[in-house]
Amino acid sequence: VERAVSDLKPLRLGIAGLGTVGGGLIGLVAGSGPLSRIATISGVSARSRGRSREVDISSFAWFDDPVALAAHPDVDVFVELMGGSDGPARLAVEAALRAGKSVVTANKALLAEHGAALQAQAAAHGAQLRWEAAVAGGIPVVKALREGLSANAISAVCGVLNGTCNYILTEMDRTGRAFGDVLADAQRLGYAEADPTLDVSGADAGHKLALLAAVAFSGAPDFGAVCLEGIEAITPTDLESARFLGYRIKLLAKATRGAGGIALQSVRPTLIHQDHPIARIDGPLNAVVIDAEPVGRLTLTGRGAGAGPTASAVAADILDLAHGDTRPVFAGPGSYGPDSWPAGADAGTQAEPHSTGPLSRFYVRLRVADRPGVIARITDLLARHQLSIESFLQKPPEAMADSVPIILTTQPCHETDLRAAIAEFAGVDAVIGTALVMPLEL
Ligand SMILES: NC(=O)c1ccc[n+]([C@@H]2O[C@H](COP(=O)([O-])OP(=O)(O)OC[C@H]3O[C@@H](n4cnc5c(N)ncnc54)[C@H](OP(=O)(O)O)[C@@H]3O)[C@@H](O)[C@H]2O)c1
């Protein structure tokens, strides 16, 4: 091992972003592991030079402008750990690639929005673009897909990719407390950002899913094609009812392969059968399940965030570059993928939720006035749309309410048909508000 490390190409790093991940990476370069023996730090950049930091940066050259650091002749590899899909992160990554320097980043937002263009730029300048840390933090899932599974045809990738949402859902399930209360606790404990929108809306998991799907199915990342739905509408009643039915609710990110490449990408709360490996992923953990042929089903679990796990993935990318690995990440696992990338994959608006999709069973929760005949009207309406109910739960009335939640699950159907029926619920005067619909996953 000693000889293997000493044979590697020494690399001079420029690190932009000295927060959680940047600090973790500097710790690894300063430590005693393999990275410390091949990497030196030529310069660092962040927003505020005077800020007190957990790592000592006094011996590194300081750059106010990350773009100047990215293009500096003393930098071999530019490490972007600032975040953001545009602004300084994008400008600096582009400057590094233009200068023919390889880039390692953890920035899923940047790659999900602009990955195809950045990969093309890297190829044009003979540079490498690496981003293992951008998906599921410490879980080496990009490596698993592009290296370990390179001889497989992958049919589906799904997972729990946002630790904040998983922590919130787990706590709501465990304690019976409401979304807002648990979110406030998660913010106090540091599991959720002061502005949690990117996490709870599903967008962060959507960024990661677009990247995973691109690698798994040899496509270009297309965040605009991901149907997004967040966890804000989930109530303790939903979690309790799901449990009663033998399921858990998770924010599931899922991409499936169709005839021409990626068929469907969605991030949405989903009832996961209690026997599915993802049902047992609790708290801030992440998990990825890969269905591939001939290997079968693989499940990877671990810590998807935090200084150590994320820096571990950044360091592995840097070590790969030191090994001289030049295989592009977005090229996918090999000969099974289509060669063509969709035009305009980096642009466009977010996909309309639920526009297409295979047959699935669904969970529907709606609130109705507590009076006779209401349930019969709802079942009639569903029957007129040829939708069959599999199970029907009527929860006891909740305190302070003259209405009751009713919960049903359907036999397999197309979501568009179910949505058409639900649109007619609005005309039933006893139905209050809008229905919540979640798919069931076995
Ligand atoms: N945290 C994780 O566990 C995790 C996991 C996977 C991926 N990531 C990704 O890793 C990246 C970094 O995340 P993080 O958690 O380390 O973030 P963070 O703790 O907020 O740190 C961000 C760093 O970037 C600097 N920065 C922010 N905006 C800047 C700007 N406009 N110009 C120059 N510097 C700027 C900040 O400077 P100051 O220090 O001066 O404020 C700070 O040092 C993000 O893309 C994130 O999505 C994070």
Side-chain angles (χ1 to χ4, degrees), residues 16-24 45-53 62-66 80-89 105-110 132-138 193 198 204 207-208 303-311 313-314:
L18 303 171
T20 305
V21 188
S45 179
R47 206 165 15 203
S48 151
R49 185 175 189 172
R51 184 175 184 161
S52 85
R53 302 184 189 278
W62 173 268
F63 289 73
D64 282 325
D65 181 6
E80 187 282 303
L81 301 170
M82 295 178 286
S85 59
D86 286 282
T105 179
N107 190 337
K108 53 257 179 176
L110 172 73
E132 178 68 65
V135 181
E193 302 281 339
L198 257 186
D204 175 78
H207 287 145
K208 297 167 184 169
R303 287 159 66 197
T310 314
V314 173

Side-chain angles (χ1 to χ4, degrees), residues 16-375:
L18 303 171
T20 305
V21 188
L25 181 66
I26 290 175
L28 288 182
V29 177
S32 55
L35 197 65
S36 67
R37 281 170 275 163
I38 61 109
T40 52
I41 297 173
S42 296
V44 295
S45 179
R47 206 165 15 203
S48 151
R49 185 175 189 172
R51 184 175 184 161
S52 85
R53 302 184 189 278
E54 284 181 19
V55 285
D56 178 13
I57 56 162
S58 57
S59 60
F60 310 133
W62 173 268
F63 289 73
D64 282 325
D65 181 6
V67 174
L69 173 62
H72 197 276
D74 290 347
V75 168
D76 301 314
V77 175
F78 178 62
V79 188
E80 187 282 303
L81 301 170
M82 295 178 286
S85 59
D86 286 282
R90 184 179 180 190
L91 291 173
V93 166
E94 287 176 344
L97 296 174
R98 261 198 316 273
K101 295 174 197 300
S102 291
V103 170
V104 176
T105 179
N107 190 337
K108 53 257 179 176
L110 172 73
L111 291 161
E113 302 265 8
H114 307 296
L118 293 174
Q119 178 62 55
Q121 206 177 4
H125 294 92
Q128 306 302 316
L129 177 63
R130 300 297 159 120
W131 44 269
E132 178 68 65
V135 181
I139 305 175
V141 62
V142 177
K143 266 185 179 297
L145 285 168
R146 70 191 273 268
E147 297 176 28
L149 301 176
S150 57
N152 281 257
I154 295 163
S155 53
V157 184
C158 72
V160 167
L161 300 178
N162 185 278
T164 303
C165 289
N166 206 45
Y167 172 82
I168 292 172
L169 291 174
T170 304
E171 281 304 293
M172 287 175 68
D173 194 14
R174 198 177 62 81
T175 63
R177 293 166 66 216
F179 169 77
D181 285 359
V182 176
L183 171 61
D185 269 4
Q187 287 170 312
R188 261 195 306 279
L189 291 166
Y191 286 133
E193 302 281 339
D195 177 3
T197 318
L198 257 186
D199 291 321
V200 299
S201 68
D204 175 78
H207 287 145
K208 297 167 184 169
L209 182 70
L211 296 176
L212 271 188
V215 178
F217 307 124
S218 304
D222 188 0
F223 174 62
V226 183
C227 300
L228 293 180
E229 207 177 296
I231 62 165
E232 303 94 324
I234 306 297
T235 64
T237 298
D238 296 319
L239 290 151
E240 191 190 328
S241 307
R243 245 179 207 279
F244 180 79
L245 294 163
Y247 290 79
R248 304 285 180 274
I249 297 174
K250 299 285 177 193
L251 182 67
L252 187 74
K254 182 174 178 183
T256 50
R257 182 185 165 79
I262 303 168
L264 193 74
Q265 301 177 76
S266 69
V267 173
R268 61 188 304 195
T270 302
L271 271 73
I272 312 276
H273 193 270
Q274 60 195 10
D275 294 338
H276 191 287
I278 282 181
R280 293 186 288 276
I281 304 306
D282 284 335
L285 286 178
N286 279 197
V288 182
V289 176
I290 302 165
D291 286 315
E293 176 60 30
V295 73
R297 174 167 280 188
L298 291 182
T299 304
L300 305 170
T301 18
R303 287 159 66 197
T310 314
S312 142
V314 173
D317 277 345
I318 296 169
L319 285 163
D320 278 355
L321 295 175
H323 275 284
D325 181 4
T326 56
R327 286 173 298 170
V329 182
F330 280 127
S335 56
Y336 288 103
D339 292 333
S340 59
W341 281 10
D346 276 350
T349 49
Q350 206 64 43
E352 277 296 310
H354 332 305
S355 46
T356 52
L359 284 176
S360 174
R361 289 157 66 224
F362 290 93
Y363 167 103
V364 181
R365 182 250 296 157
L366 62 161
R367 183 165 280 278
V368 298
D370 192 10
R371 58 174 185 256
V374 178
I375 290 172

